[in-house]
Amino acid sequence: MYDRIAQALTKLFDRHRIVFWYDAKQELRDDYEALSLPGVEKLELTNNEYGIKYKILREQPEQKFLLYREGPQPVDLDNWLLDVQLAHGEFRTDQVAIWLSELELGLEFADMVQAHVEFFQAIKRKDALRKLLKQDDTAGQIRLKMLAVCTGSEPRMDAVVENLLQELADGRDEKIKLVDRCNLGSFLWEQMTRLYGYNSGEPGIRDFAIELFKSCYAMGTDGQVSLTGDALVFLKRWKDSRQFEDGFETLSGECADVLGIEQDLAKRDFRELIEMDYFRLIDQKIISDLVRAVASRTVSSGDVAVWVRQRRQGHWYREYRHLYEAVDYAAQFTHALGEAKLTMDSLAEGVQRYSRFWYQLDQLYRKFTYHMRLSGQASLMGSLTDQIENLYSNNYLLKLGDRFQTFVDTTPKWEAFPVRKQKDFFEHWVRPFLRKDNKVCVIISDAMRYEIGDELLSLIRQEDRYSAELEPALSMLPSYTQLGMAALLPNKELSIADNETGTVLVDGQSSQGTANRTKILQTALNGRGQTIKAEEFMQLNRDERRDLLKANDVLYVYHNRIDHTGDKMHSEGQTFEAADQTLNDIVLLIKKLTAANASNILVTADHGFIYQDNELDESDFLSVDAKGDKVLYRDRRFVLGKNLAESNSLHKFTSEQLDLAGEVEVQIPKSINRLRLKGSGSRFVHGGASLQEVVIPVLKINKKRQSDVTVVEVDILRGSSSVITSGQLAVTMYQAEPVTDKTQPRVLRAGIYTEAGDLISDSHDLTFDLGSDNPRERELQVRFVLTRKADEANGQEVILRLEEKHAGTSHYKEYKSLRYLMRRSFTSDFDF
């Protein structure tokens, strides 16, 4: 007891020169006698008040005094030192007084502390509270801080409620029970009424959660609302909180069951739900209806794109991303196919039109299939998938293949001028660098067809200080790896070996494997050429990479993911996943090369491919087999041999027609048909003459010295009034230019703030990534809901602020702002 008295008095003397001590129960004289405080003189009050008053006020006005009286405090009229006591401090020795002293709180808080004795009996809680207290705290603020201690949160009501809701979601109740034990329950529910309009005869955190979801859902669907706009703001912040999102999701699911949300959603049009994301069921409803609408073609591709973009801001988008993307790409594919005119007047025109327009259909189909597969929702997507597969296979792939085949059948020579032949790759694209004494690196990605090269072009251009150009080239026939890889090397003459290996000779030398290809390069470059596999290059350290580039004028890097995946029966279904990973691989490979001082890079492929995700019909396979004097090699899309027999289903080329030396003949199934091959897959094929197989990309990439990437500008359109008169504010944001490869999206946070920097509305995270050339389609409507705090700013200016995050940090800087005058009447209370 002595130590606690000494400690409490020491704290009092930090604030007061004179401290009164009334030992009302006359039981602490020994402690008084034993007490010795540095710089403090002890005086006992024994009918000597007048003399002591003179001494402490006149004689020693700087000295600290402890005035002890054994017995209770005199009544005010008999207390000669009452004025001194009121001006200075009093030390009390009951438990409440000691707690007040320890917390450095005045006696005016005694009743409050007495009302919450349970709280202060735990030293841990008391110490936690002391760290939160400020000198000007009111009783209400102290109680809020006590709530914060009980719930393990920050001293804000929204934080307290978030913690209690998380506890509810976790199936526990220790925190809310502690709140009740500490007699803070009534204060909690008073605040819930004041802030959120929550009133209940039997208030409880579960009851509040149900009412919260009910009212916020009703606000978006014109239902009956009992909570305030602040409740909607709270729900939005809660669901967007990384810390509490799991709790939000758990309670959202439970409340959806209680409120019968599924039954209500069944009656609604998905369009009225686009801005809402309080329940997982809302996303399921929107996706389900979108799938049906796209399949039945009752919505436009443009509308679907807008709706999907709006849903990207929603809470559940990450969970349903692949479904949204698949539906979006399905709508784009259907629209693009409807617009496409699959006609041509020559083989060369077909190649050019494919490289300008038609490849996009293959790209959209790939992206649809990729996202559909990753969604894991084959049943939900079933009808739409069947439709896209049917359109792709029959209305596009087969139709285009048949039309192109008519020119393949009649061409005397395999060429499509002005599109360059793959055989000319080294002379046309590599040699010009060498003539200027520049080094060049060539990345060859096996089976990276033209449409994948186009996506790679966009990804590279998005990188700062990288420029890239894309051209088509016409691959060799048959479009298989051995021949394509050989054609990309320096060559005067290419020939297919007269045996059963399918090996291709470059100027009489085998081109199979990196060792042989290195020999061919070194022969052409006086030893200054090298080939390496991509995975081997990536394992080199930075110095080893630089040494490799320094020692060679030309480096060929071979990458093989798409062909490696698609050519195997057990993995061919993952072809499009392999294509997506290939894009990441090559961007990383390019960065590693430029870090090793490569400034000129070419990316190309040995051949393309056909891929259809559905199981093929019998009609997709030829009923005849290739025959001839000598069949050397057969694959799913070509046959090599001598004196091959003519067939209506197969087209035969001589080596001379294909710009090859030797006597080997080539037969290719017409259009997109396959030959049966035991133990081989059938969905992924190449070797034939379809546009998807023979139009390959050639990307020319250069690393610049200066930054060339900008970010889109965003403006706030004020509208007709600069005055806020209600509980909501609708604002239009305008993206000044479309997003392109070099003009990148901007992500901003938007909210309405007071001059003092207090947020008085909900906050929106906005992504401006619109690519439309139409200015109208680059407008984004945002609706802000004001909180009760906005009332305090009535008659004052408030600021609509757009903020941008500092790169790599959690801190924000102001991007743009607009001022409004807050002028709300009492009728604004009735917005909801």
Side-chain angles (χ1 to χ4, degrees):
M1 184 69 172
Y2 171 81
D3 289 340
R4 291 175 67 189
I5 289 172
Q7 190 179 11
L9 282 168
T10 299
K11 286 183 179 176
L12 272 171
F13 277 113
D14 287 341
R15 292 184 289 151
H16 303 291
R17 183 173 74 87
I18 302 166
V19 174
F20 287 77
W21 179 359
Y22 295 107
D23 185 4
K25 296 181 180 177
Q26 302 180 9
E27 57 189 11
L28 298 174
R29 173 169 286 280
D30 291 343
D31 291 303
Y32 169 72
E33 300 286 1
L35 192 67
S36 176
L37 299 175
V40 176
E41 183 178 338
K42 297 192 298 183
L43 298 174
E44 186 173 354
L45 300 175
T46 52
N47 294 319
N48 55 353
E49 287 87 347
Y50 187 76
I52 284 178
K53 191 171 191 176
Y54 185 80
K55 178 176 183 174
I56 62 179
L57 297 180
R58 295 290 187 183
E59 293 181 348
Q60 295 175 268
E62 302 298 325
Q63 175 64 39
K64 290 183 177 181
F65 292 98
L66 174 62
L67 307 183
Y68 173 81
R69 176 187 173 100
E70 189 173 41
Q73 177 181 331
V75 296
D76 290 351
L77 288 174
D78 297 332
N79 190 351
W80 288 71
L81 295 171
L82 181 62
D83 56 338
V84 179
Q85 181 180 323
L86 291 173
H88 292 83
E90 180 185 349
F91 174 61
R92 290 169 53 178
T93 53
D94 60 85
Q95 187 62 68
V96 168
I98 291 173
W99 288 335
L100 287 170
S101 177
E102 288 172 345
L103 295 168
E104 298 180 14
L105 291 173
L107 288 172
E108 66 271 23
F109 295 107
D111 290 343
M112 187 207 72
V113 171
Q114 184 68 56
H116 306 290
V117 168
E118 176 79 17
F119 178 90
F120 296 97
Q121 285 177 340
I123 295 172
K124 225 172 165 185
R125 288 198 291 270
K126 195 172 56 190
D127 289 345
L129 177 63
R130 183 168 59 238
K131 291 173 185 172
L132 296 174
L133 291 176
K134 293 181 180 175
Q135 282 192 338
D136 57 350
D137 277 342
T138 63
Q141 288 167 330
I142 294 171
R143 283 191 170 98
L144 175 58
K145 289 174 181 179
M146 290 162 68
L147 269 182
V149 170
C150 289
T151 55
S153 67
E154 293 179 36
R156 305 187 324 269
M157 269 306 295
D158 60 340
V160 167
V161 178
E162 282 173 341
N163 274 274
L164 290 174
L165 288 168
Q166 184 62 48
E167 181 182 58
L168 175 65
D170 292 339
R172 295 182 291 106
D173 60 2
E174 292 91 342
K175 291 177 180 178
I176 191 67
K177 280 185 173 178
L178 179 60
V179 168
D180 289 333
R181 279 207 319 276
C182 293
N183 200 27
L184 287 163
S186 58
F187 176 76
L188 169 67
W189 302 119
E190 283 167 13
Q191 297 308 302
M192 298 287 266
T193 302
R194 186 179 68 84
L195 289 173
Y196 306 128
Y198 173 65
N199 277 297
S200 173
E202 297 181 19
I205 202 68
R206 182 177 295 279
D207 185 66
F208 171 73
I210 294 168
E211 191 55 60
L212 177 67
F213 280 103
K214 180 182 177 183
S215 283
C216 291
Y217 181 71
M219 288 175 196
T221 55
D222 298 324
Q224 189 173 353
V225 179
S226 61
L227 301 187
T228 65
D230 282 50
L232 178 60
V233 174
F234 168 78
L235 181 68
K236 288 184 175 184
R237 289 184 191 168
W238 176 35
K239 73 179 172 60
D240 293 338
S241 161
R242 287 286 173 87
Q243 183 181 355
F244 297 110
E245 66 177 345
D246 288 345
F248 164 78
E249 291 177 6
T250 298
L251 294 178
S252 168
E254 291 177 9
C255 292
D257 287 341
V258 171
L259 297 170
I261 297 299
E262 185 174 356
Q263 292 76 12
D264 185 80
L265 288 172
K267 301 178 288 188
R268 298 189 181 278
D269 187 304
F270 73 90
R271 293 167 184 79
E272 66 181 284
L273 307 168
I274 291 295
E275 293 183 13
M276 295 172 61
D277 65 344
Y278 313 134
F279 303 105
R280 183 183 270 107
L281 287 167
I282 293 174
D283 284 81
Q284 293 174 356
K285 160 74 174 176
I286 290 171
I287 291 166
S288 178
D289 285 6
L290 268 179
V291 168
R292 278 195 291 272
V294 171
S296 62
R297 304 189 202 182
T298 55
V299 290
S300 73
S301 171
D303 283 343
V304 173
V306 169
W307 293 327
V308 170
R309 194 184 309 116
Q310 284 178 283
R311 295 309 294 171
R312 274 187 206 139
Q313 314 293 334
H315 180 84
W316 312 93
Y317 179 76
R318 279 174 298 168
E319 185 174 332
Y320 294 108
R321 176 200 155 204
H322 292 297
L323 283 169
Y324 280 117
E325 295 287 329
V327 172
D328 191 8
Y329 284 120
Q332 289 183 53
F333 174 81
T334 305
H335 174 75
L337 183 58
E339 297 286 306
K341 293 179 174 60
L342 303 177
T343 59
M344 66 199 88
D345 294 322
S346 67
L347 188 146
E349 187 189 11
V351 170
Q352 289 179 74
R353 294 194 72 182
Y354 181 80
S355 66
R356 289 174 190 159
F357 314 112
W358 300 331
Y359 75 88
Q360 293 174 7
L361 288 157
D362 292 300
Q363 193 176 79
L364 292 169
Y365 170 74
R366 170 171 61 84
K367 288 183 164 292
F368 163 75
T369 305
Y370 169 77
H371 288 290
M372 186 277 295
R373 287 173 61 91
L374 286 185
S375 75
Q377 296 290 336
S379 298
L380 169 66
M381 298 293 288
S383 61
L384 182 57
T385 300
D386 290 344
Q387 185 181 103
I388 298 299
E389 287 292 342
N390 182 53
L391 288 172
Y392 180 73
S393 293
N394 299 319
N395 292 28
Y396 170 64
L397 203 58
L398 181 60
K399 189 175 176 183
L400 183 63
D402 287 348
R403 181 65 180 152
F404 188 62
Q405 187 66 42
T406 61
F407 299 103
V408 173
D409 287 343
T410 57
T411 188
K413 206 166 182 63
W414 181 244
E415 60 185 6
F417 189 80
V419 173
R420 294 280 173 174
K421 293 189 289 186
Q422 188 179 37
K423 190 171 185 284
D424 300 334
F425 174 78
F426 192 89
E427 291 302 317
H428 182 72
W429 279 287
V430 179
R431 185 72 73 186
F433 289 107
L434 302 178
R435 288 197 193 106
K436 296 178 183 176
D437 291 327
N438 290 328
K439 294 173 181 286
V440 60
C441 296
V442 179
I443 299 171
I444 302 167
S445 184
D446 204 327
M448 187 182 75
R449 67 183 183 181
Y450 188 82
E451 57 91 3
I452 299 170
D454 174 77
E455 186 172 353
L456 178 62
L457 172 75
S458 179
L459 291 174
I460 293 166
R461 283 179 170 173
Q462 288 171 35
E463 296 289 336
D464 194 18
R465 297 189 295 150
Y466 284 86
S467 64
E469 297 170 5
L470 173 65
E471 290 180 68
L474 182 69
S475 84
M476 300 296 290
L477 267 188
S479 51
Y480 76 114
T481 300
Q482 287 283 1
L483 183 53
M485 292 297 184
L488 294 168
L489 292 164
N491 67 84
K492 291 184 176 67
E493 180 183 272
L494 299 177
S495 60
I496 298 173
D498 191 355
N499 56 39
E500 297 178 353
T501 64
T503 300
V504 178
L505 308 178
V506 175
D507 301 331
Q509 184 177 335
S510 171
S511 63
Q512 189 162 14
T514 53
N516 283 325
R517 292 170 194 167
T518 293
K519 283 181 193 173
I520 294 166
L521 265 184
Q522 291 185 336
T523 301
L525 297 165
N526 298 319
R528 302 272 306 166
Q530 179 74 41
T531 70
I532 188 171
K533 291 181 178 177
E535 57 267 29
E536 293 171 4
F537 180 81
M538 294 299 286
Q539 286 168 8
L540 300 178
N541 64 36
R542 187 169 178 172
D543 290 338
E544 289 169 333
R545 290 182 195 132
R546 286 184 169 179
D547 290 342
L548 180 64
L549 265 67
K550 207 178 289 181
N552 293 283
D553 294 331
V554 178
L555 178 68
Y556 273 41
V557 184
Y558 293 105
H559 175 271
N560 184 8
R561 188 183 289 276
I562 299 171
D563 203 64
H564 181 74
T565 303
D567 256 343
K568 295 182 176 66
M569 183 188 284
H570 72 274
S571 62
E572 67 170 355
Q574 295 158 20
T575 296
F576 288 165
E577 286 91 327
D580 194 71
Q581 186 58 51
T582 289
L583 293 166
N584 297 328
D585 290 349
I586 295 179
V587 169
L588 183 57
L589 197 51
I590 289 166
K591 289 182 177 179
K592 295 291 186 187
L593 284 165
T594 55
N597 295 328
S599 54
N600 301 303
I601 299 171
L602 297 169
V603 181
T604 189
D606 51 349
H607 56 77
F609 63 88
I610 298 173
Y611 180 86
Q612 291 160 274
D613 197 51
N614 59 333
E615 292 299 328
L616 301 184
D617 295 328
E618 278 298 313
S619 60
D620 293 306
F621 295 92
L622 295 184
S623 56
V624 299
D625 201 1
K627 295 174 183 174
D629 291 353
K630 198 175 185 182
V631 175
L632 297 170
Y633 187 95
R634 67 179 71 223
D635 206 316
R636 291 162 294 180
R637 285 282 287 162
F638 69 98
V639 177
L640 305 177
K642 296 268 186 85
N643 291 322
L644 295 172
E646 297 288 346
S647 167
N648 291 331
S649 305
L650 298 161
H651 182 77
K652 185 165 78 173
F653 288 95
T654 65
S655 285
E656 185 183 1
Q657 286 178 301
L658 301 176
D659 204 6
L660 296 170
E663 301 298 322
V664 174
E665 294 176 337
V666 177
Q667 272 191 330
I668 291 170
K670 293 188 175 183
S671 190
I672 61 169
N673 291 312
R674 277 89 158 156
L675 289 162
R676 289 202 178 275
L677 193 67
K678 193 173 181 182
S680 181
S682 58
R683 290 184 284 170
F684 172 92
V685 291
H686 60 88
S690 74
L691 287 161
Q692 289 79 5
E693 294 167 286
V694 300
V695 181
I696 57 170
V698 179
L699 285 95
K700 192 174 177 180
I701 299 157
N702 186 258
K703 179 79 180 285
K704 298 179 178 180
R705 293 185 181 277
Q706 291 185 319
S707 175
D708 63 349
V709 168
T710 58
V711 184
V712 293
E713 289 294 319
V714 177
D715 294 314
I716 310 168
L717 304 184
R718 183 184 286 281
S720 58
S721 175
S722 60
V723 180
I724 300 174
T725 58
S726 71
Q728 295 187 27
L729 176 67
V731 179
T732 301
M733 309 290 179
Y734 174 63
Q735 183 183 305
E737 64 265 288
V739 164
T740 63
D741 292 335
K742 290 298 182 185
T743 306
Q744 297 190 348
R746 183 166 238 134
V747 179
L748 298 171
R749 183 176 71 179
I752 301 174
Y753 296 81
T754 64
E755 289 275 15
D758 294 326
L759 180 64
I760 56 170
S761 73
D762 53 344
S763 180
H764 297 263
D765 290 318
L766 307 171
T767 300
F768 295 91
D769 60 354
L770 307 171
S772 174
D773 289 323
N774 183 345
R776 278 282 181 198
E777 292 177 3
R778 297 198 304 274
E779 293 181 1
L780 187 65
Q781 271 259 332
V782 183
R783 186 177 300 279
F784 295 93
V785 180
L786 297 171
T787 66
R788 284 175 63 90
K789 258 192 171 178
D791 294 340
E792 298 169 18
N794 210 9
Q796 301 172 21
E797 278 198 335
V798 295
I799 305 155
L800 168 56
R801 191 184 299 155
L802 296 181
E803 297 175 310
E804 191 166 30
K805 191 180 278 190
H806 282 282
T809 74
S810 59
H811 298 281
Y812 285 81
K813 60 183 176 183
E814 183 174 306
Y815 170 66
K816 280 183 183 172
S817 64
L818 197 61
R819 289 177 172 268
Y820 288 84
L821 178 63
M822 183 71 72
R823 188 181 291 152
R824 297 178 66 196
S825 70
F826 70 91
T827 55
S828 64
D829 295 334
F830 295 87
D831 283 340
F832 292 113

